Amino acid sequence: MDSSSSSALARQTWELENNIVAVDGSSGAAGADADAIYFYDEAAQVKFQQEKPWAQDPNYFRRVKISALALLKMVVHARSGGTIEVMGLMQGKTEGDTFVVMDAFALPVEGTETRVNAQADANEYMVEYSQTNKQAGRLENVVGWYHSHPGYGCWLSGIDVSTQMDNQQFQEPFLAVVVDPTRTVSAGKVEIGAFRTYPRGYKPPDEPVSEYQTIPLNKIEDFGVHCKQYYALDITYFKSSLDSHLLDLLWNKYWVNTLSSSPLLGNRDYVAGQISDLVEKLEQAENQLAHTRFGSFLLPSQRKKEPEESQLTKITRDSSKITVEQVHGLMSQVIKDILFNSVGHSSRLRASLPDLTEPEPMVES
Amino acid sequence: MTFKLHPLVIVNISDHHTRVKAQTHHTDDGSGSSGGSGGAATAVRVFGCVIGVQRGRTVEIFNSFELLYDPLTHSLDRSFLEKKQELYKKVFPNFYILGWYSTGSEAQESDLQIHKALMDINESPVYVLLNPVINHSQKDLPLTIYESELHIIDGIPQLIFVRSSYTIETVEAERISVDHVAHLKPSDGGSAATQLAAHLTGIHSAIKMLNSRIRIIHQYLVAMQKGRHTGLHLLFMRLPYSILLFDGILAGSFTSDQEKKIGTNLSGRRIAGVENLVAVASHQWSKSPPESNLSARGESRVKARLETETRVGWSSEVQWSEPWCTEVATMDRWLDRGSLPLVEDFPVWDGSDKGGDVEEELGSNS
C-alpha cells in the first residue's frame, strides 16, 4: 500500500536522526544476536561492581539506554500522579559507560519534592518487590530512581541533588531520571532527563550549557543554585524485535488516537499557568530594567566571558515555546476541520489553502 | 462485554517474553528462568496477571505483572500472586485483577484449568493471549482476548473460551511515549522546524491511513451497489475509523462540543448511535424523511444484532426519532445515492474479527 511504503521511508529517516536502535541485529539473524541486550549476565555485573571504575572519574557514565517498557511505565505513572510528584525505581544494569534501564516500577510515596527522605519510606516496598521480581525472572538490580516534575521541567532540585549524592555514595552505580508528564503532553514529545551528581566539592570542567528549558519563576532559584552540581547523560531508547513488530501492528489500530487527540483541550490549565508565569517574569524584568537604567555604564566592565543572556531574551524564548505548542495544537484542529467538514465545500477550501497536503475528497465525482 | 486494552500491557507481555527467551537461550541447562514454564527452549510460555478497572460491562486493562507457573500442577502460584497483588495495590489502588495472560499461538486445554482457578478472584476473568511469533505478513495484532462462557455441549455444561474483540485505549501521555518509541519522534529540542515537521508528519501518516481506509469502504460500497456483494457487512461499522469519520461528518460543524467528542475517546453512546444510524439508513434508503418505520420485527432484530454483535452495549439514550433525519441526509451526501439492501438481508456475523477481509474480498472481485 502506498501509505506503508512512505511511512517506512519516513521511519527510516527518523531512525537516522534519532538515536533509536532496534535491538534485533541484522534481519534474518538467528535468536543468538537478537535481543541480546535482554540477557542479564550476573557474573559480569558483579565484577563490574567490584572494579568501580566510576570512583576515579565522576564523569564516567555518559549515556543511558532506556527500554520501551521502562519509558512507557515511567511516563504513565508520572501522568497518573497529576500535579503531584511521584517517584519510582528503575531496574537494569550497566554496560561500560552506559546505564541500561530495562524496567521501572512505582513506589507508593508522593510529594517527593517536599520531603528529604521519601525514599526511605519505600524501602520495605522496594525489598519485597525486588524479591518477587527476581522470582518471576526479572533478574536485574535497581540501578536508579525516577521521579516526576509535573509542569516544571526536567532538572534536579536541591532536595533531589542531595538525595542523589547520598545514593551515589551508598548505592553506586545509581542514576537519577526526571520525567515531566505535563510538558510531554503539551509539547507532544517525551520530556525526560537523566542525571548524575558530582561528588561534594568537585569542580566540574566548564561544560557547554545544555539545552535551554523554561523554568517557572518560583523554581528558578532552586534550579540556578544547583545546576552546576550535576550533569546530564544522553538518552537513547531501545526495544526488542517483538516490541517493534507489535508496535508496528499497533499503529494500525492506533492512528485514530493520534488523529483524535486534542492537546489544546487537555492542557488548558497548564497553558494558563505558563502564561501567567511568563507575565510574572516580564514584570520582574521590567522592574530590573528600571533600576539599572542609570547603571548601564557599568555593565561592560561586568561582562563575563560568556555573554549572559538578558532576561528579556529568555522571556522571548519562553513565549515562543508556548506559541509553538499552541500553533501545533491549532494546526491539528484546523487540519481535522478541513478533513471532516470540507464535505460540500471542498473546492472552495482547496483554492485558499494550496500549501497543505490536500485531503482527498470524500466523494469522487 | 467491552474490552479496552492499553498499549502498556502489550509492551509488558512482549518484554516478559523477550526477557525469558534471552535468559533461556544463554543458560546451558535452559532452566535459568523461573518465570516461564519449563517448556522446550523454543516455545517458552510466560504467564502473568492483568489488572485494571471494570465498570459495568466495560473492562479496561491498564497494566500487568508476571506470575509463577508450576508446570507440574498446571497452575499459577497463588501466594506469589497475592503478594504481588498487594504490592500493586499500594501504588495503584484502583486496579483489580481482571484476568491473566500468556504467550502462545492458541488457547490450550490446560489454560482452562488456570482460568477456572482464577474465577474465585474475579468471577469472569479474561484471558489475554499474545502470539510472540513474528510474522511480517500479518496485519493484525497477534493478541486475542478470550472470555469464558458456559456452553451446553452434548448436554454437559462446559466452560469454553470465546474470542472477544477489543479496542486499544490510551491516555495522551501513553500515546506520545508509544509514538516516540515506535515512530521515532525527535527526542530532544531540535529546531522549531524539525519539531513542526515531526508533528505534521505524525498527523500526515494518520490522515493517510484514514484516507486509505475510507477508499476501501468506498470501493466496497460501490461494488456492493453494483450488486457484487449481497450484504452490508456490519463489520465495517465496527471499525473505529469509520466511526470517527461518521462522527465528524455527521456533526456538520466543528462546535466546541464536537471538538470535545473527538478529543476524548468516542463515547460508547456515539458509537452505538452511529451503528444504529447505519442500520436505519440502510433500511430506509429510499424513503424520506426517515422515521422509525421499521416493522417491529425489523426493529427488534436490528437491536438484537447491534447488541450482540457490536462491542458496545445497547444504549438506551439512542433515539429512533427526528434528529437522525438530518444526519442520514448528510450521510446520504457522502455515500453515493443508491439503494442498499434491507436490514433483513444482512448476513449473520459470526463474531470473528474480519478487519482484513474487506480488502481480500475487494482484491478477489476487482
Side-chain angles (χ1 to χ4, degrees), chain B residues 2 234 237-238 243 246-247 250 266-280 302-303 305-307 310-320 324:
Chain B
T2 330
L234 282 175
M237 292 198 298
R238 288 169 39 229
I243 290 166
F246 290 141
D247 202 70
L250 296 175
L266 300 168
S267 63
R269 173 183 168 277
R270 199 72 192 165
I271 296 175
V274 168
E275 284 156 340
N276 164 29
L277 167 72
V278 175
V280 172
V302 172
K303 268 191 188 159
R305 157 104 19 90
L306 287 174
E307 187 163 34
T310 61
R311 306 174 310 266
V312 182
W314 183 256
S315 165
S316 58
E317 296 173 282
V318 173
Q319 303 295 326
W320 296 79
W324 295 108

Side-chain angles (χ1 to χ4, degrees), chain A residues 308-323:
Chain A
E308 203 175 270
E309 286 184 333
S310 71
Q311 267 209 308
L312 219 49
T313 323
K314 286 188 195 159
I315 291 175
T316 322
R317 278 223 221 156
D318 287 352
S319 63
S320 11
K321 179 172 166 299
I322 299 178
T323 319

Side-chain angles (χ1 to χ4, degrees), chain B residues 183-199:
Chain B
H183 275 256
L184 320 153
K185 296 240 175 97
S187 56
D188 54 22
S191 64
T194 41
Q195 274 188 47
L196 185 65
H199 186 242

Side-chain angles (χ1 to χ4, degrees), chain B residues 28 54-55 80 127-128 140-141 191 204 209 239 287 294 314 316 342:
Chain B
D28 292 333
Q54 178 162 1
R55 289 187 205 94
F80 184 84
Y127 173 33
V128 179
D140 241 349
L141 267 182
S191 64
H204 179 69
M209 266 307 220
L239 296 169
K287 303 180 192 168
L294 285 180
W314 183 256
S316 58
L342 302 179

Side-chain angles (χ1 to χ4, degrees), chain B residues 333-361:
Chain B
R333 260 187 277 136
W334 180 71
L335 297 168
D336 290 310
R337 210 173 273 276
S339 59
L340 288 181
L342 302 179
V343 173
E344 276 73 24
D345 292 338
F346 292 169
V348 177
W349 182 44
D350 65 353
S352 58
D353 187 352
K354 288 205 209 115
D357 281 5
V358 179
E359 295 158 293
E360 282 171 25
E361 279 206 38

Side-chain angles (χ1 to χ4, degrees), chain A residues 18 125 135 243 260 333 360, chain B residues 14 34 87 186 215 259 262:
Chain A
N18 297 280
Y125 183 93
Q135 276 185 295
D243 282 344
S260 70
Q333 292 297 104
E360 304 251 345
Chain B
S14 142
S34 49
L87 291 175
R215 298 196 145 281
E259 273 179 320
I262 290 196

Side-chain angles (χ1 to χ4, degrees), chain A residues 56-186:
Chain A
Q56 282 83 39
D57 178 12
N59 263 339
Y60 180 73
F61 289 110
R62 285 254 141 221
R63 290 172 299 159
V64 183
K65 281 195 205 168
I66 303 186
S67 79
L69 179 65
L71 178 70
L72 208 49
K73 278 194 179 175
M74 290 195 279
V75 173
V76 168
H77 179 219
R79 185 61 172 167
S80 70
T83 47
I84 304 179
E85 297 95 359
V86 294
M87 70 176 278
L89 295 174
M90 307 185 293
Q91 295 173 293
K93 53 186 180 172
T94 48
E95 269 179 11
D97 68 345
T98 310
F99 271 100
V100 179
V101 176
M102 314 284 306
D103 194 8
F105 62 90
L107 289 176
V109 290
E110 286 180 352
T112 52
E113 296 298 321
T114 49
R115 303 185 289 158
V116 178
N117 240 340
Q119 257 184 310
D121 280 357
N123 258 338
E124 196 191 305
Y125 183 93
M126 180 179 104
V127 166
E128 253 201 80
Y129 193 95
S130 305
Q131 268 180 351
T132 55
N133 254 352
K134 285 231 161 54
Q135 276 185 295
R138 159 86 60 202
L139 308 166
E140 293 89 8
N141 289 322
V142 172
V143 292
W145 65 300
Y146 70 90
H147 66 288
S148 67
H149 278 183
Y152 52 98
C154 294
W155 44 280
L156 291 183
S157 68
I159 298 181
D160 295 338
V161 167
S162 48
T163 315
Q164 178 61 10
M165 276 186 183
D166 285 341
N167 284 334
Q168 287 190 204
Q169 257 191 314
F170 300 117
Q171 297 190 61
E172 279 282 57
F174 220 69
L175 178 69
V177 163
V178 183
V179 183
D180 186 344
T182 321
R183 286 205 183 166
T184 297
V185 173
S186 86

